Amino acid sequence: MENLFSQGLPLALFGIGVVFIFLCLLILATRAMSALAARFAPAAGTAPAETSPSHLPPAQMAAIIAAITLHRARRGAAA
Amino acid sequence: MENLFSQGLPLALFGIGVVFIFLCLLILATRAMSALAARFAPAAGTAPAETSPSHLPPAQMAAIIAAITLHRARRGAAA
Amino acid sequence: MENLFSQGLPLALFGIGVVFIFLCLLILATRAMSALAARFAPAAGTAPAETSPSHLPPAQMAAIIAAITLHRARRGAAA
Amino acid sequence: MEQWHALWQGTGLVQFEWQQAVMLLICLGLLYLAIHRKFEPLLLLPIAFGGLLANIPGVEIATGDGILRQLYEIGLATSIFPLLIFMGVGALTDFGPLLANPRTMLLGAAAQVGIFATLLGALLLSDLGLFDFSLQQAAAIAIIGGADGPTSLYLASVLAPELLGAIAIAAYSYMALVPLIQPPVALALTTAKERRIRMSGQREVRRIEKILFPLLLLMLTALLVPAAAPLLGMFCFGNLMRESGVVKRLTDTAQNSLVNIVTILLGLAVGSRLAADQFLVPATLGILLLGLFAFAAGTAAGVLMAKLMNRLSRNPINPLIGAAGVSAVPMAARTVHRLGKQADPENFLLMHAMGPNVAGVIGSAIAAGILIRLAG
Amino acid sequence: MEQWHALWQGTGLVQFEWQQAVMLLICLGLLYLAIHRKFEPLLLLPIAFGGLLANIPGVEIATGDGILRQLYEIGLATSIFPLLIFMGVGALTDFGPLLANPRTMLLGAAAQVGIFATLLGALLLSDLGLFDFSLQQAAAIAIIGGADGPTSLYLASVLAPELLGAIAIAAYSYMALVPLIQPPVALALTTAKERRIRMSGQREVRRIEKILFPLLLLMLTALLVPAAAPLLGMFCFGNLMRESGVVKRLTDTAQNSLVNIVTILLGLAVGSRLAADQFLVPATLGILLLGLFAFAAGTAAGVLMAKLMNRLSRNPINPLIGAAGVSAVPMAARTVHRLGKQADPENFLLMHAMGPNVAGVIGSAIAAGILIRLAG
Amino acid sequence: MEQWHALWQGTGLVQFEWQQAVMLLICLGLLYLAIHRKFEPLLLLPIAFGGLLANIPGVEIATGDGILRQLYEIGLATSIFPLLIFMGVGALTDFGPLLANPRTMLLGAAAQVGIFATLLGALLLSDLGLFDFSLQQAAAIAIIGGADGPTSLYLASVLAPELLGAIAIAAYSYMALVPLIQPPVALALTTAKERRIRMSGQREVRRIEKILFPLLLLMLTALLVPAAAPLLGMFCFGNLMRESGVVKRLTDTAQNSLVNIVTILLGLAVGSRLAADQFLVPATLGILLLGLFAFAAGTAAGVLMAKLMNRLSRNPINPLIGAAGVSAVPMAARTVHRLGKQADPENFLLMHAMGPNVAGVIGSAIAAGILIRLAG
Ligand code: NA
Ligand code: NA
Ligand code: NA
């Protein structure tokens, strides 16, 4: 029986069609969103790289190092 | 029918009463505990801030930094 | 009735016997594996200590410190 | 063409009902508050996003075998998630300020008046026919006045799971609004002179006191209000891990990865209760009104108790710190600190407000136990 | 002596069947690829080790009350594990390159041709009598062409759990093989001149765009393909946590401990489906063949779409980046980058390829939703 | 007044029975040992705290729908928690010292004599009518001699869940007491001259050996004692993740957040078995006695085997390291090291003791498999 392929063909065409429609609409929506963002949030600046996957962000790192240095300096003064 | 409020009134008075009784007893118990602690563990000192939520406690941090410094010093000496 | 102990005795002897047989075979298999490894992977070198349980391996640590130092140096130059 | 019709029928475009559209807007509004206004984002962001997912028609997410429904059944219907969060809160709590000044526990007790006043308020609204809250529901709503997220979720999951969504929204929103809700109440009930009262430095607390306190608290709970023992037990467990100092790797996990994982899953599970048919009901309006009343009443009771204590004691306390008794850790303590600084720029109330603040956590957990016992 | 006999009967020596021995060898081979060749080791190592455990005779591990079976029931039969992984992937995804150049989404759409071509291929093989795939099974196999692990596992768990083992092996193996599979296809369909096309720098993207995009994507999904909402919903949730910047501790957990824990458990659960009686079937061979075809077809469609876009637009794009539309993040983008450098050492395509790369993730999730809706 | 009566009836004051009070004291004692004496605090602290919660009357915590009961059902009744912990232990284990000197595995085998001697001891006590242990129970008690927490919990959960609380307390307490239990036994069986035997440095072990060893161990287990495959399989999986070096983020999670989360939940779940009606039974006394005997017997057997090996080999080993064969990683190895230093301040046995130490983990897992097979 050959009806699986013939059953699937419209499904496949339909499927890829919906994928294209979806992503085309997403392109339009994204462009509209970006345009609105540029108009209403002009000073917002670019996204900072603040979601680094590292456990210790550099700022926190620097703070810790500063704290240790201070701690040592105090110890040194006391010694 | 108004019996929900009249049903709830003693419950509410009772409830706030128990909360007060509980916390008053907790005050007394805490004071007794602190007094006993002061008598029987006089030299124990204050609680060190050793449960910091940071991933790397300063001590470990200092150890790591010291290790790296040492490692570099050795490398430098070898180079 | 004393049949629990007499029921268990052969079980115990058997059990410790299997443990010994298993670990003796494991010794032989391990030696064979090590010999094969020495023959077929001579240049592989020793296992690096790369699975340290620390959150920040020294290398990454060093990299972060270097990055901060650089960042500060740049800032200093800009100031 | 058949597929096009089937898919068209499957789209949200066809299936959306206006209630779901309203809920999507509400959830987007909550996301705005969480992200832009930083309203308790750790919980409100997952809850609101869960709410978005729960209102998408044509697919099982918060119903049937959907993931949010499963998370709800796994963690909320069983009360496991709120209790694990409470353990994490315990591991993050420092009882030092409370141990240095135990009498401030009275402020944590007084602020729970908000809970019981709200209970009566809810019952009154039912008697008046404005709403139709049962005693269980009224109790679950009242606990919003405890200003403590996990306690509210726990009690709601036990007494009134059908109201869980609205109660969670009210509890976390009003906690975020503490800097707006508390000042007018606290200012109205205090004079400028009272607000300028300075409090002396706190004594240092021994490690052994910090270790024994959670055990003492658990034992007292076991003796007097065992119904509060699941909540306070998990809380004390987290705190003992922290203060014992011998299980640092467990403490670190309880404070970080464990509590974060559970927060994500809990938030989504709570969000599943924001489906339109459950949330867009008159009761939600009542819950929001009563929750606001509860926060205000608790704040007032805390401040008035502080003033009463000043009448009876020679060692004066700044009545503002009574407002911190509602919990809302650490937002209420910070609000108190800010009000104190407005009255006198050199007045530092933060540490003094932390005592009643954590006492409020204990007080509302005890209140939850009582409500379970008597209304459950 | 009785014990010796009982234990002897209990040993693997007696109970092993040749199929199990073959599976052990296959799993050891997969471990070799994962460890020595670094074939997607994060998934293939746990899957292959789970496969070893699943083929040990004489003990319940992947069956009955065994731990792998329980993990399967907890996390795969419920679809919870793939969805949580997808949340983590969302938290690790940067939509910046896509937002800078939205039209590259078309490449992410085109590459999904591989999915639907494979669907037809699987049905054709069934019609020819070579294999016996149902429509559901063909759909689950076809999604391998999406080149996205969690999406494949999710669809397989919904439509054809009996094929889950083979589909997972094919999906992750071919993702690892992307540097071998894609170049011949991409080179055959492009001229050297095309491959030398340079693309200009990307504009910087605002934070607000990155925050709004996951919400936009979710809303469009809810309107048009709600069946894809569980997948894309969790993905957008992870991404919104990341981009909102207000829940860093949750983002960190979603990117690290949560996704790692689920990866370990998911890998073992998938491994439970490598038991000989499920894996050593003719269907597996068909799945491996069709999976390879799917990757090649998707690559070809992406490249051809890029060439078509160049015909219709004045602003040319390097057709190689069409190959990145299959997903396989970030392997496909890196492969594209490498091919670009071979044609012109100063051509940097990596960032430009990341746009279609993440668009491919969206495209295959949408395709999965359609397949669930129409074949489910 | 009615409420006062209801609450009064609900208080622990009324409901406490003396057995529960005794259990609370025992659990407080265990907390003292865990916190002040640092007796295996990672497990004993959660277990003892769980025990406190389990003995609070008037509320469901370890019974009904209580959280400890649910954790027990989720993780212990299913054996999932001990197996996940064992995976984490595998990820933390370095087989290097064992691979450098494989013959020390014999010491890890010999020390398991303690397990089987204890099995006979338990059966003898039953025959004498002093206790009433079934064969299953005797086997679960005997494994305490394996000095390995997860193995003991796993076997108890499979063979005798009703004894799980007492077995866990005995296993972890005696592991903590290894520095007190082992020295008298080891000193009695060795001469000062033997204890001064120095052992030469170990050869360096190749990475490939460390990668292949867990696979070898698993294959041998599958062939000979498949009943041990769940335990050793998870252990080898953790170790392979570690040694492969290609899944560092998974290894890190398995060593840290995953094992810590499971430890917390497992500890509470075990604590649920310390309810007075289960723990205050004669069997507990027998378990504590037999557990002590098991540790002593295992230590003796390990030391004697080392002496026997010295008779048969030219390359002498310090017989103290035989004591490390009981496992109790790394406590036993450290104890051996300390005894060696007492005999000769320049004798460094730590690394040499790690070989039998980890071999003891393998040995007791094999013994557990045999006991499941023959007594299960
Ligand atoms: Na409160
Ligand atoms: Na894709
Ligand atoms: Na052992």
Side-chain angles (χ1 to χ4, degrees):
Chain A
M1 64 178 189
E2 280 185 46
N3 47 9
L4 268 178
F5 184 89
S6 53
Q7 187 185 339
L9 189 59
L11 176 58
L13 293 174
F14 168 77
I16 192 67
V18 173
V19 169
F20 266 97
I21 292 170
F22 184 90
L23 282 160
C24 288
L25 288 173
L26 187 58
I27 291 173
L28 297 177
T30 303
R31 283 190 172 148
M33 180 269 284
S34 290
L36 288 173
R39 171 168 303 185
F40 293 107
T46 60
E50 58 192 341
T51 49
S52 110
S54 145
H55 273 276
L56 274 174
Q60 191 183 336
M61 194 72 184
I64 292 172
I65 289 171
I68 292 170
T69 313
L70 192 68
H71 176 69
R72 282 180 176 165
R74 280 190 188 150
R75 270 198 160 174
Chain B
M1 64 175 188
E2 278 187 46
N3 47 10
L4 269 178
F5 183 88
S6 53
Q7 187 184 340
L9 189 60
L11 177 59
L13 293 174
F14 169 78
I16 192 68
V18 174
V19 169
F20 266 98
I21 291 170
F22 184 90
L23 282 161
C24 288
L25 288 174
L26 188 58
I27 292 174
L28 296 178
T30 303
R31 283 189 172 150
M33 181 269 285
S34 290
L36 287 173
R39 171 168 302 185
F40 292 107
T46 59
E50 58 193 341
T51 48
S52 109
S54 145
H55 273 279
L56 274 175
Q60 190 183 335
M61 195 75 184
I64 292 173
I65 289 172
I68 293 170
T69 312
L70 191 69
H71 175 70
R72 282 180 174 163
R74 281 191 188 151
R75 270 198 159 173
Chain C
M1 64 175 191
E2 280 186 46
N3 47 9
L4 269 176
F5 184 88
S6 52
Q7 187 184 341
L9 189 60
L11 177 58
L13 294 174
F14 169 77
I16 192 68
V18 174
V19 169
F20 266 98
I21 292 170
F22 184 90
L23 282 160
C24 287
L25 288 172
L26 187 59
I27 292 173
L28 296 178
T30 302
R31 283 190 172 149
M33 181 269 284
S34 291
L36 287 172
R39 172 168 300 184
F40 292 107
T46 59
E50 60 193 342
T51 48
S52 107
S54 144
H55 273 279
L56 273 174
Q60 191 182 333
M61 195 74 186
I64 293 173
I65 289 171
I68 293 170
T69 312
L70 192 68
H71 175 70
R72 283 180 174 164
R74 280 189 188 151
R75 270 199 161 173
Chain D
M1 284 306 98
E2 201 184 327
Q3 277 91 0
W4 289 103
H5 186 71
L7 197 92
W8 178 248
Q9 290 300 320
T11 60
L13 286 168
V14 174
Q15 299 188 34
F16 257 109
E17 295 166 19
W18 68 266
Q19 293 95 331
Q20 291 168 321
V22 169
M23 282 311 299
L24 291 182
L25 290 175
I26 290 173
C27 291
L28 289 173
L30 289 170
L31 284 177
Y32 170 80
L33 295 175
I35 295 172
H36 197 250
R37 295 294 187 84
K38 299 195 179 153
F39 268 35
E40 296 278 334
L42 291 175
L43 258 300
L44 273 192
L45 193 151
I47 290 176
F49 203 95
L52 288 181
L53 296 179
N55 286 288
I56 296 177
V59 60
E60 285 184 346
I61 297 183
T63 56
D65 289 333
I67 182 165
L68 297 196
R69 170 66 179 274
Q70 293 191 58
L71 293 177
Y72 174 84
E73 296 293 339
I74 292 169
L76 264 179
T78 62
S79 301
I80 289 177
F81 287 169
L83 291 175
L84 289 180
I85 300 253
F86 218 47
M87 179 181 78
V89 173
L92 286 160
T93 295
D94 178 6
F95 279 121
L98 189 66
L99 290 169
N101 200 359
R103 66 180 177 142
T104 57
M105 285 187 209
L106 285 176
L107 303 173
Q112 312 317 317
V113 164
I115 294 175
F116 295 100
T118 308
L119 174 68
L120 293 179
L123 296 176
L124 192 63
L125 292 179
S126 285
D127 283 344
L128 296 174
L130 293 173
F131 293 99
D132 186 28
F133 297 127
S134 68
L135 184 60
Q136 284 75 21
Q137 291 178 326
I141 295 166
I143 203 74
I144 297 172
D148 193 64
T151 300
S152 299
L153 293 173
Y154 177 74
L155 199 67
S157 73
V158 172
L159 291 182
E162 67 280 8
L163 301 182
L164 206 148
I167 287 172
I169 295 297
Y172 284 102
S173 298
Y174 292 139
M175 275 193 274
L177 286 171
V178 150
L180 298 180
I181 297 173
Q182 289 201 318
V185 178
L187 294 176
L189 295 173
T190 52
T191 65
K193 191 181 158 202
E194 284 172 331
R195 293 197 291 275
R196 280 198 295 271
I197 293 174
R198 293 204 189 165
M199 295 180 69
S200 50
Q202 293 180 350
R203 75 170 176 95
E204 290 198 325
V205 174
R206 290 156 199 277
R207 179 170 169 246
I208 184 72
E209 293 176 81
K210 290 192 174 185
I211 292 175
L212 290 178
F213 183 73
L215 294 170
L216 200 67
L217 174 54
L218 179 68
M219 287 301 105
L220 207 57
T221 307
L223 284 177
L224 295 182
V225 193
L231 265 178
L232 280 174
M234 293 303 282
F235 185 76
C236 292
F237 174 52
N239 193 250
L240 183 66
M241 285 200 288
R242 168 198 174 90
E243 300 300 350
S244 74
V246 294
V247 290
K248 289 201 167 92
R249 53 183 296 162
L250 302 186
T251 309
D252 180 62
T253 294
Q255 289 172 336
N256 291 289
S257 56
L258 178 52
V259 82
N260 292 345
I261 290 170
V262 178
T263 298
I264 292 171
L265 303 180
L266 172 70
L268 292 174
V270 171
S272 76
R273 311 303 285 190
L274 300 188
D277 54 350
Q278 290 176 45
F279 192 85
L280 287 186
V281 292
T284 298
L285 191 65
I287 289 168
L288 291 174
L289 286 173
L290 287 163
L292 184 58
F293 170 71
F295 269 69
T299 303
V303 172
L304 291 174
M305 170 56 84
K307 293 179 73 163
L308 178 64
M309 285 168 71
N310 276 349
R311 294 266 174 108
L312 304 174
S313 159
R314 279 165 307 174
N315 197 359
I317 58 179
N318 189 312
L320 287 173
I321 70 169
V326 296
S327 318
V329 184
M331 197 72 87
R334 284 193 201 142
T335 300
V336 164
H337 181 71
R338 186 167 53 81
L339 293 178
K341 279 199 119 175
Q342 284 173 359
D344 171 359
E346 288 180 28
N347 204 353
F348 294 97
L349 295 178
L350 189 62
M351 267 302 121
H352 298 285
M354 287 310 294
N357 215 193
V358 298
V361 175
I362 298 171
S364 43
I366 292 294
I370 296 164
L371 291 169
I372 287 174
R373 180 86 200 157
L374 296 180
Chain E
M1 284 307 98
E2 204 183 326
Q3 276 92 359
W4 289 102
H5 187 71
L7 196 93
W8 178 248
Q9 290 300 320
T11 60
L13 286 169
V14 174
Q15 299 187 36
F16 257 109
E17 293 166 19
W18 69 266
Q19 293 95 332
Q20 291 168 320
V22 169
M23 282 310 299
L24 291 182
L25 289 176
I26 290 174
C27 291
L28 289 173
L30 289 170
L31 284 176
Y32 170 80
L33 295 174
I35 295 172
H36 197 249
R37 295 292 187 85
K38 300 195 177 153
F39 267 36
E40 296 277 335
L42 291 174
L43 259 301
L44 273 192
L45 193 150
I47 291 176
F49 203 95
L52 287 181
L53 296 180
N55 286 287
I56 295 177
V59 59
E60 286 185 344
I61 296 183
T63 55
D65 289 332
I67 182 166
L68 297 196
R69 171 66 180 273
Q70 292 191 58
L71 292 177
Y72 175 84
E73 296 293 338
I74 292 169
L76 263 179
T78 62
S79 302
I80 288 177
F81 286 169
L83 291 174
L84 289 180
I85 299 256
F86 218 46
M87 178 181 79
V89 173
L92 287 160
T93 295
D94 177 7
F95 279 120
L98 189 67
L99 291 168
N101 200 0
R103 66 178 176 142
T104 56
M105 285 187 209
L106 285 176
L107 303 173
Q112 311 317 317
V113 165
I115 293 175
F116 296 100
T118 307
L119 174 68
L120 294 179
L123 297 176
L124 192 63
L125 291 179
S126 285
D127 284 345
L128 295 176
L130 293 173
F131 294 99
D132 186 28
F133 297 127
S134 68
L135 185 58
Q136 285 74 21
Q137 290 178 326
I141 295 165
I143 204 74
I144 297 172
D148 194 65
T151 300
S152 299
L153 292 174
Y154 177 74
L155 199 68
S157 73
V158 172
L159 292 183
E162 67 281 8
L163 301 182
L164 206 147
I167 287 173
I169 295 295
Y172 284 101
S173 299
Y174 292 139
M175 275 194 275
L177 286 171
V178 148
L180 298 181
I181 297 173
Q182 290 201 318
V185 178
L187 294 176
L189 294 173
T190 53
T191 66
K193 192 180 158 200
E194 285 171 331
R195 293 197 292 273
R196 282 198 294 271
I197 294 175
R198 292 204 190 165
M199 297 180 69
S200 51
Q202 292 180 352
R203 74 170 178 95
E204 291 198 325
V205 175
R206 291 157 198 278
R207 179 169 169 247
I208 183 73
E209 293 175 82
K210 291 192 173 186
I211 292 175
L212 290 177
F213 182 73
L215 294 170
L216 200 67
L217 174 54
L218 180 67
M219 289 299 107
L220 207 58
T221 307
L223 285 176
L224 295 182
V225 193
L231 264 178
L232 281 173
M234 293 303 282
F235 184 77
C236 291
F237 173 53
N239 194 249
L240 183 66
M241 285 201 286
R242 168 197 175 93
E243 300 299 349
S244 73
V246 294
V247 290
K248 289 201 166 90
R249 53 183 294 163
L250 302 187
T251 309
D252 179 62
T253 294
Q255 289 171 336
N256 291 289
S257 56
L258 179 52
V259 82
N260 291 347
I261 290 170
V262 178
T263 299
I264 291 172
L265 302 181
L266 173 69
L268 291 174
V270 171
S272 77
R273 311 304 284 189
L274 298 189
D277 55 349
Q278 290 177 46
F279 193 84
L280 286 188
V281 292
T284 297
L285 191 65
I287 289 168
L288 292 173
L289 286 173
L290 287 163
L292 185 59
F293 170 73
F295 269 70
T299 304
V303 172
L304 291 174
M305 170 56 84
K307 293 178 73 162
L308 178 64
M309 285 168 69
N310 276 350
R311 293 264 173 108
L312 304 174
S313 158
R314 279 166 307 173
N315 196 0
I317 58 178
N318 188 313
L320 285 173
I321 71 169
V326 296
S327 320
V329 185
M331 198 73 87
R334 283 193 201 143
T335 300
V336 164
H337 182 70
R338 187 167 54 82
L339 293 178
K341 280 199 117 176
Q342 283 173 0
D344 172 358
E346 290 181 25
N347 204 352
F348 294 97
L349 295 178
L350 189 61
M351 267 303 121
H352 298 284
M354 287 309 294
N357 214 194
V358 297
V361 176
I362 299 171
S364 44
I366 293 294
I370 297 165
L371 291 170
I372 286 174
R373 181 84 201 158
L374 297 179
Chain F
M1 285 307 97
E2 200 183 328
Q3 276 91 359
W4 288 103
H5 186 71
L7 197 91
W8 177 246
Q9 290 300 321
T11 58
L13 286 169
V14 174
Q15 298 188 36
F16 257 109
E17 294 167 17
W18 68 266
Q19 293 94 333
Q20 291 169 320
V22 169
M23 283 311 299
L24 291 181
L25 290 176
I26 290 174
C27 291
L28 289 173
L30 289 170
L31 284 176
Y32 170 80
L33 295 175
I35 295 173
H36 196 250
R37 295 290 187 86
K38 301 194 178 155
F39 268 34
E40 296 277 333
L42 292 174
L43 259 299
L44 273 192
L45 193 151
I47 290 175
F49 203 96
L52 287 181
L53 296 179
N55 286 288
I56 296 177
V59 59
E60 285 184 345
I61 297 183
T63 56
D65 289 333
I67 182 166
L68 297 197
R69 171 65 180 274
Q70 293 191 58
L71 293 177
Y72 175 84
E73 296 292 339
I74 291 169
L76 263 178
T78 62
S79 302
I80 289 178
F81 286 170
L83 291 175
L84 289 180
I85 299 254
F86 218 47
M87 180 181 78
V89 173
L92 286 160
T93 295
D94 178 6
F95 279 120
L98 189 66
L99 291 168
N101 199 0
R103 67 179 175 141
T104 57
M105 284 186 209
L106 284 177
L107 304 173
Q112 311 317 317
V113 165
I115 294 175
F116 295 100
T118 307
L119 174 68
L120 293 179
L123 297 176
L124 191 63
L125 291 179
S126 285
D127 284 343
L128 295 175
L130 294 173
F131 293 100
D132 185 28
F133 297 127
S134 69
L135 185 59
Q136 285 74 23
Q137 290 178 325
I141 295 165
I143 204 74
I144 297 172
D148 195 65
T151 300
S152 298
L153 293 173
Y154 176 74
L155 199 68
S157 73
V158 172
L159 292 182
E162 67 280 8
L163 302 182
L164 208 147
I167 288 173
I169 295 297
Y172 285 102
S173 299
Y174 292 138
M175 276 194 274
L177 286 170
V178 148
L180 297 181
I181 297 173
Q182 290 202 316
V185 178
L187 294 177
L189 294 174
T190 53
T191 65
K193 192 182 157 200
E194 284 171 332
R195 292 196 294 274
R196 280 197 295 270
I197 294 175
R198 293 201 190 168
M199 297 180 68
S200 51
Q202 293 180 350
R203 74 171 177 95
E204 291 199 324
V205 175
R206 291 156 198 278
R207 180 170 169 246
I208 184 73
E209 293 175 81
K210 290 192 174 186
I211 292 174
L212 289 177
F213 183 73
L215 294 170
L216 199 67
L217 175 54
L218 180 68
M219 288 300 105
L220 206 58
T221 307
L223 283 177
L224 295 182
V225 193
L231 264 177
L232 280 174
M234 293 303 281
F235 185 77
C236 291
F237 174 53
N239 193 249
L240 183 66
M241 284 200 288
R242 167 197 175 93
E243 300 300 349
S244 73
V246 295
V247 290
K248 290 203 165 89
R249 53 184 295 163
L250 301 187
T251 309
D252 180 62
T253 294
Q255 289 172 334
N256 292 288
S257 56
L258 178 51
V259 82
N260 291 346
I261 290 170
V262 178
T263 298
I264 291 171
L265 303 181
L266 172 69
L268 292 174
V270 171
S272 77
R273 310 305 283 190
L274 299 190
D277 55 350
Q278 290 177 46
F279 192 84
L280 286 187
V281 292
T284 297
L285 190 65
I287 289 169
L288 291 174
L289 286 173
L290 287 163
L292 185 59
F293 171 70
F295 269 70
T299 303
V303 172
L304 291 174
M305 169 56 85
K307 293 177 73 162
L308 178 64
M309 285 168 71
N310 275 350
R311 294 264 174 108
L312 304 174
S313 159
R314 277 166 306 173
N315 198 0
I317 57 179
N318 189 312
L320 287 173
I321 71 170
V326 297
S327 318
V329 185
M331 198 72 87
R334 284 194 200 140
T335 300
V336 164
H337 182 69
R338 187 166 54 80
L339 293 177
K341 279 200 119 176
Q342 285 172 358
D344 171 359
E346 289 180 26
N347 204 354
F348 294 97
L349 295 178
L350 189 62
M351 269 301 121
H352 296 285
M354 288 308 295
N357 215 195
V358 298
V361 176
I362 298 171
S364 45
I366 292 295
I370 297 165
L371 292 170
I372 287 174
R373 181 83 200 158
L374 297 180

